C-alpha cells in the first residue's frame, strides 16, 4: 500500500493530484532559492503571517501549505506526500482527496491564527500531511475491508510516532499538526463510519489494540535492533 513500484509515467498517471502537489512544491521551492527570481518577495507574500491575515490577506491561509523553509523541510514533507498520498487518492478519488488535503491544511492554518500571536509566522504542508494521517486512522477503525492488518499497524505506528515527535522537536507548529490531524480524523469518521457509533468504534479499536499488544510475542532480536536504529536516527534528526 505504501510501497511505490510505479515508474515516473505511471505515477503521474495514476495519482495526478499528488503529482500536481509535488510539482507545485518543487516550483515554489525553486522560486524561493534561485537568484533569477525575487526570492524574498515571494516568501514575504506567501508565508503565513497572522497579522497580515487579520488585515485581509486571506490567501495566506492557503499558500503556506505549499511553501517550505529550506531543502530538508521541502524534501521530507514532499516525500511524506509521495509515500502516503497515493493510496488515499486512489481510495477517495481525485476531487475528494484534493478537498481533504486543502481542508485539513487550511483548518490547521486557521487554528494557528486563532491560537498564536499576531506576530506568528508559519509555512509548510505538515498540517495537511497530519490531516492524511488522521483520515487513515479513521479508515483503520471503520474500513477494515480497505486497509489490511499489516498496513493498519504501519500507518498507526507512523501516526503515533509523528504526534509524539511534534512535542519533542523544536520550532514546530504544534497547533497546526494537531488541528490537521483531528480535522482529518473527524472528516474520515464522518464519511467512513457508515452509520456506526463513532465513539463506540474507537473505544472498541483501542480495546483491541491493548489486547493485541498484551498478547503479542516478543519480536525477534533482529526486528528490535532495526526499530531501535530507526528511532535513534529519528531522534538525532529532531535535535540536529
Amino acid at each position: 500500500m505504501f510501497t511505490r513500484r510505479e515508474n515516473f509515467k505511471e505515477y503521474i498517471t495514476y495519482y495526478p493530484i499528488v503529482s500536481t502537489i509535488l510539482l507545485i512544491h518543487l516550483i515554489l521551492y525553486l522560486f524561493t532559492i534561485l537568484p533569477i527570481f525575487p526570492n524574498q518577495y515571494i516568501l514575504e507574500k506567501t508565508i503565513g503571517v497572522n497579522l497580515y491575515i487579520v488585515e485581509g490577506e486571506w490567501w495566506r491561509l492557503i499558500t503556506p501549505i505549499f511553501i517550505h523553509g529550506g531543502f530538508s523541510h521541502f524534501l521530507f514533507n514532499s516525500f511524506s506526500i509521495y509515500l502516503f498520498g497515493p493510496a488515499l487518492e486512489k481510495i477517495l478519488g481525485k476531487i475528494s482527496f484534493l478537498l481533504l488535503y486543502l481542508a485539513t491544511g487550511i483548518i490547521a492554518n486557521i487554528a494557528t491564527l486563532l491560537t498564536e500571536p499576531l506576530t506568528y509566522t508559519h509555512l509548510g504542508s505538515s498540517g495537511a500531511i497530519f490531516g492524511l494521517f488522521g483520515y487513515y486512522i479513521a479508515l483503520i477503525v471503520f474500513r477494515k475491508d480497505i486497509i489490511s492488518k499489516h498496513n493498519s499497524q504501519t500507518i498507526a505506528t507512523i501516526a503515533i510516532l509523528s504526534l509524539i515527535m511534534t512535542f519533542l522537536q523544536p520550532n514546530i507548529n504544534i497547533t497546526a499538526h494537531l488541528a490537521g490531524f483531528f480535522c482529518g480524523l473527524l472528516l474520515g469518521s464522518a464519511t467512513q463510519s457508515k452509520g456506526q457509533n463513532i465513539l463506540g468504534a474507537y473505544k472498541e479499536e483501542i480495546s483491541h489494540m491493548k489486547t493485541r499488544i498484551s498478547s503479542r510475542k516478543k519480536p525477534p532480536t533482529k526486528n528490535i535492533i532495526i526499530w531501535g536504529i530507526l528511532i535513534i536516527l529519528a531522534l538525532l534528526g529532531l535535535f540536529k
Side-chain angles (χ1 to χ4, degrees):
M1 186 176 188
F2 302 117
T3 303
R4 305 267 55 89
R5 296 184 177 90
E6 308 90 353
N7 59 39
F8 179 76
K9 184 178 180 180
E10 290 172 337
Y11 189 92
I12 62 176
T13 301
Y14 297 156
Y15 318 116
I17 301 301
V18 171
S19 300
T20 300
I21 291 171
L22 293 175
L23 179 61
I24 293 172
H25 280 195
L26 176 60
I27 291 173
L28 291 180
Y29 175 68
L30 293 176
F31 278 178
T32 60
I33 64 166
L34 295 180
I36 60 174
F37 301 110
N39 311 135
Q40 195 60 36
Y41 177 81
I42 293 172
L43 277 174
E44 288 176 354
K45 287 297 182 180
T46 54
I47 63 173
V49 182
N50 283 350
L51 177 61
Y52 296 156
I53 296 173
V54 170
E55 291 178 344
E57 297 185 5
W58 55 267
W59 65 86
R60 294 180 186 269
L61 293 173
I62 303 172
T63 52
I65 302 172
F66 303 98
I67 294 289
H68 295 90
F71 179 72
S72 61
H73 192 205
F74 154 76
L75 178 64
F76 287 116
N77 276 357
S78 297
F79 181 72
S80 293
I81 297 167
Y82 166 83
L83 197 59
F84 299 113
L88 265 187
E89 181 173 346
K90 185 176 181 179
I91 291 169
L92 298 178
K94 296 187 289 292
I95 300 301
S96 294
F97 175 79
L98 177 61
L99 291 176
L100 169 68
Y101 189 82
L102 291 177
T104 52
I106 292 170
I107 289 296
N109 289 338
I110 290 175
T112 301
L113 174 65
L114 295 176
T115 59
E116 298 293 343
L118 292 178
T119 55
Y120 192 81
T121 62
H122 55 93
L123 72 170
S125 56
S126 54
I129 293 170
F130 271 78
L132 303 187
F133 289 156
Y135 201 97
Y136 270 120
I137 295 300
L139 288 176
I140 289 170
V141 173
F142 298 109
R143 297 299 305 274
K144 291 179 173 56
D145 58 314
I146 291 180
I147 300 185
S148 68
K149 183 178 179 181
H150 172 73
N151 285 323
S152 295
Q153 292 172 344
T154 300
I155 194 63
T157 300
I158 293 172
I160 291 171
L161 287 177
S162 297
L163 287 170
I164 293 173
M165 290 178 181
T166 293
F167 294 96
L168 297 178
Q169 192 171 1
N171 302 318
I172 287 297
N173 187 347
I174 296 175
T175 298
H177 284 198
L178 295 180
F181 178 82
F182 283 111
C183 179
L185 188 70
L186 291 173
L187 289 174
S189 300
T191 57
Q192 300 295 332
S193 59
K194 307 295 182 182
Q196 299 179 55
N197 183 310
I198 293 177
L199 291 179
Y202 278 105
K203 288 179 181 179
E204 183 178 350
E205 186 66 28
I206 292 172
S207 177
H208 287 166
M209 186 186 302
K210 290 179 180 178
T211 301
R212 289 195 297 267
I213 292 174
S214 62
S215 62
R216 184 175 297 174
K217 296 179 181 179
K218 182 179 178 181
T221 302
K222 179 181 177 181
N223 289 356
I224 296 176
I225 293 174
I226 291 173
W227 274 101
I229 292 173
L230 289 174
I231 292 172
I232 290 172
L233 287 174
L235 291 175
L236 288 174
L238 293 178
F239 299 104
K240 66 181 179 178

